[in-house]
């Protein structure tokens, strides 16, 4: 059965970078079975109501400014999958979430930045889902749990966010990781490996340096959803972790 993933998406420049993380993403896809479709939940698509993309062909949005011109040339013209969008709508209704289909939403950099690296041919249908930060973590986990049913149909579920992700703290010229960022990442790792959801979702009160690592929770929510999609087996695997700019973590988790 297809696993699900949590992947850090770093900065928009990740799509152009050549580093150990982008190399890992490329190599991992080579050994992984090719999915029939991908469902991706990006921290950069926030909405009060649950939205599900329902487009025939994806466009992209450059939801940032001030970067080199080359990044604005990246496109990702993958097709959508209306049948899958409808199925997700039905699955979410089972847990009391009345989603809405969105036939205009382009892919943001939290989605296309990763997909451009992983599947550059853009030949796999994509459905993106918004994230509602107002929902409690228990409900976010439920969303992942019902989406996990799609794995049986060879659908890859990706939560795209960041565990240590605070642009106010990044050090552009620093090539080693700061201790506080490592401490928070290792705390999260322990809770994931023990599947200690109760403690994990209370990271704000219980984790070291939580306010520095997670200033706003929209980048942490995709991790909880990805874990929910692995609820049946509860077999987490840390695939990769490096840091950029002193404290921006590039982390990949697999949930079977």
């Amino acid at each position: 059965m297809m696993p699900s993933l949590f992947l850090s998406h770093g900065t928009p420049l990740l799509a152009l970078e050549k580093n150990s993380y982008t190399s890992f993403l490329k190599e991992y896809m080579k050994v992984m079975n090719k999915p029939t479709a991908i469902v991706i939940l990006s921290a950069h698509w926030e909405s009060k109501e649950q939205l599900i993309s329902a487009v025939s062909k994806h466009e992209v949005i450059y939801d940032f400014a001030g970067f080199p011109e080359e990044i604005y040339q990246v496109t990702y013209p993958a097709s959508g999958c209306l049948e899958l969008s409808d199925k997700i709508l039905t699955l979410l209704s089972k847990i009391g979430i009345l989603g809405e289909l969105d036939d205009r939403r382009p892919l943001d950099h939290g989605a296309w930045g990763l997909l451009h690296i992983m599947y550059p041919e853009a030949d796999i249908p994509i459905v993106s889902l918004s994230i509602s930060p107002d929902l409690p973590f228990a409900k976010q986990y439920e969303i992942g749990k019902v989406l996990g049913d799609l794995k049986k149909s060879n659908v890859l579920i990706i939560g795209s966010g960041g565990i240590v992700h605070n642009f106010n703290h990044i050090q552009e010229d620093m090539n080693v990781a700061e201790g506080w960022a490592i401490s928070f990442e290792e705390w999260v790792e322990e809770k994931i490996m023990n599947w200690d959801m109760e403690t994990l979702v209370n990271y704000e009160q219980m984790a070291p340096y939580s306010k520095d690592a997670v200033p706003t929770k929209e980048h942490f929510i995709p991790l909880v959803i990805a874990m929910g999609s692995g609820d049946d087996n509860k077999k987490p695997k840390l695939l990769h972790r490096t840091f950029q700019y002193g404290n921006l973590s590039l982390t990949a988790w697999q949930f079977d």
Side-chain angles (χ1 to χ4, degrees), residues 23-33 118-119:
S23 295
F24 153 74
L25 290 173
K26 292 175 182 177
E27 292 303 314
Y28 182 75
M29 294 308 107
K30 291 179 182 178
V31 300
M32 183 180 181
N33 292 331
M118 297 162 66
Y119 298 105

Side-chain angles (χ1 to χ4, degrees), residues 78-231:
S79 64
C81 181
L82 300 183
E83 181 181 355
L84 180 56
S85 298
D86 284 333
K87 185 171 183 178
I88 292 170
L89 204 63
T90 301
L91 288 173
L92 292 175
S93 70
K94 294 180 179 180
I95 57 170
I97 293 181
L98 303 179
E100 298 180 14
L101 298 180
D102 187 326
D103 62 0
R104 296 185 178 183
R105 171 71 184 185
L107 296 173
D108 59 69
H109 83 270
W112 60 255
L114 290 170
L115 296 172
H116 173 73
I117 298 167
M118 297 162 66
Y119 298 105
E121 298 86 1
D123 58 350
I124 301 172
I126 307 294
V127 174
S128 60
L129 273 68
S130 69
I131 286 172
S132 176
D134 294 337
L135 290 177
F137 279 119
K139 201 67 176 180
Q140 308 285 4
Y141 189 87
E142 274 192 78
I143 290 172
K145 194 172 178 179
V146 295
L147 291 178
D149 186 64
L150 300 172
K151 295 159 65 172
K152 301 171 186 175
S153 303
N154 203 41
V155 174
L156 174 61
I157 300 167
I158 301 174
S160 170
I163 294 178
V164 180
H165 192 96
N166 188 339
F167 275 29
N168 290 324
H169 286 347
I170 63 173
Q171 311 289 331
E172 292 188 14
D173 297 326
M174 183 176 287
N175 296 320
V176 295
E178 296 185 283
W180 67 265
I182 296 172
S183 294
F184 184 80
E185 271 275 352
E186 290 181 342
W187 184 91
V188 170
E189 177 185 352
E190 180 187 2
K191 306 315 168 193
I192 293 175
M193 293 304 296
N194 293 321
W195 214 269
D196 183 359
M197 291 304 302
E198 183 177 354
T199 305
L200 180 65
V201 299
N202 284 295
Y203 67 87
E204 290 180 286
Q205 293 78 35
M206 304 183 75
Y209 308 104
S210 61
K211 292 183 180 179
D212 295 306
V214 190
T216 52
K217 61 183 178 180
E218 77 283 345
H219 276 77
F220 201 83
I221 288 170
L223 172 63
V224 176
I225 294 174
M227 287 188 71
S229 67
D231 181 81

